[in-house]
Amino acid sequence: MSEGEKRIELHLSSLPVPKSNRYIRKKGGTVFKPPRIKNWEARAIWEIKQQYSGDPLDGPLSMEVILVLPNRRKRDIDNMLKSLWDVLEKAKVIKNDNQIYEIRTIKQIEKNVQKTIIYIKRLE
């Protein structure tokens, strides 16, 4: 993000798959991601890379995330955000999620629509 840029805007065509309690442990203690999580991550990383090709952002960041939900079903947005931070790292938008100093999350209901909108800017 250069001096002239105010913020980065990214769009995902779906909602983050909540991460917590979704990993499966095998007998030897190996942990693996179920296909639903793997597929969402791969799709989200691909979508992000279509929109952002700069260097990973460094320094303190402020994030605003709008989760557009298709209905009023209860969802754990904390775990959705954890998944989102992971894909932002893997897509090389940010170096590490510990750079996120400020978060604003908005849940918005639009019948039969789901998407995620992310705004990222340097913390001033």
Side-chain angles (χ1 to χ4, degrees):
M1 199 170 356
S2 69
E3 290 298 317
E5 290 180 274
K6 296 281 188 218
R7 68 181 182 176
I8 293 170
E9 180 176 337
L10 302 169
H11 294 255
L12 297 177
S13 62
S14 62
L15 296 167
V17 174
K19 220 166 201 178
S20 188
N21 302 324
R22 297 285 189 244
Y23 291 100
I24 298 171
R25 292 193 184 276
K26 288 185 176 182
K27 203 171 195 176
T30 307
V31 178
F32 71 94
K33 294 179 192 178
R36 180 171 176 242
I37 292 175
K38 280 183 172 177
N39 293 340
W40 178 81
E41 285 182 351
R43 174 73 185 191
I45 290 167
W46 181 85
E47 288 181 1
I48 290 168
K49 286 186 173 190
Q50 300 304 305
Q51 300 169 69
Y52 184 81
S53 59
D55 292 328
L57 302 173
D58 57 3
L61 300 172
S62 173
M63 301 270 193
E64 180 175 328
V65 178
I66 301 170
L67 301 168
V68 180
L69 308 171
N71 53 43
R72 296 194 180 278
R73 191 187 75 166
K74 290 182 182 181
R75 290 174 175 82
D76 186 346
I77 63 171
D78 290 351
N79 291 331
M80 292 170 81
L81 291 176
K82 290 175 190 175
S83 295
L84 185 58
W85 305 153
D86 286 349
V87 299
L88 288 172
E89 278 185 46
K90 289 176 183 175
K92 297 187 179 358
V93 174
I94 63 175
K95 287 185 178 181
N96 194 290
D97 62 8
N98 68 10
Q99 298 170 249
I100 304 168
Y101 280 70
E102 180 178 81
I103 302 167
R104 180 171 185 236
T105 309
I106 300 165
K107 287 189 342 185
Q108 185 177 312
I109 310 296
E110 282 186 41
K111 190 171 180 162
N112 300 321
V113 175
Q114 68 168 328
K115 61 184 173 183
T116 306
I117 305 165
I118 308 135
Y119 298 104
I120 307 168
K121 66 179 185 175
R122 293 193 193 284
L123 192 62
E124 298 171 6

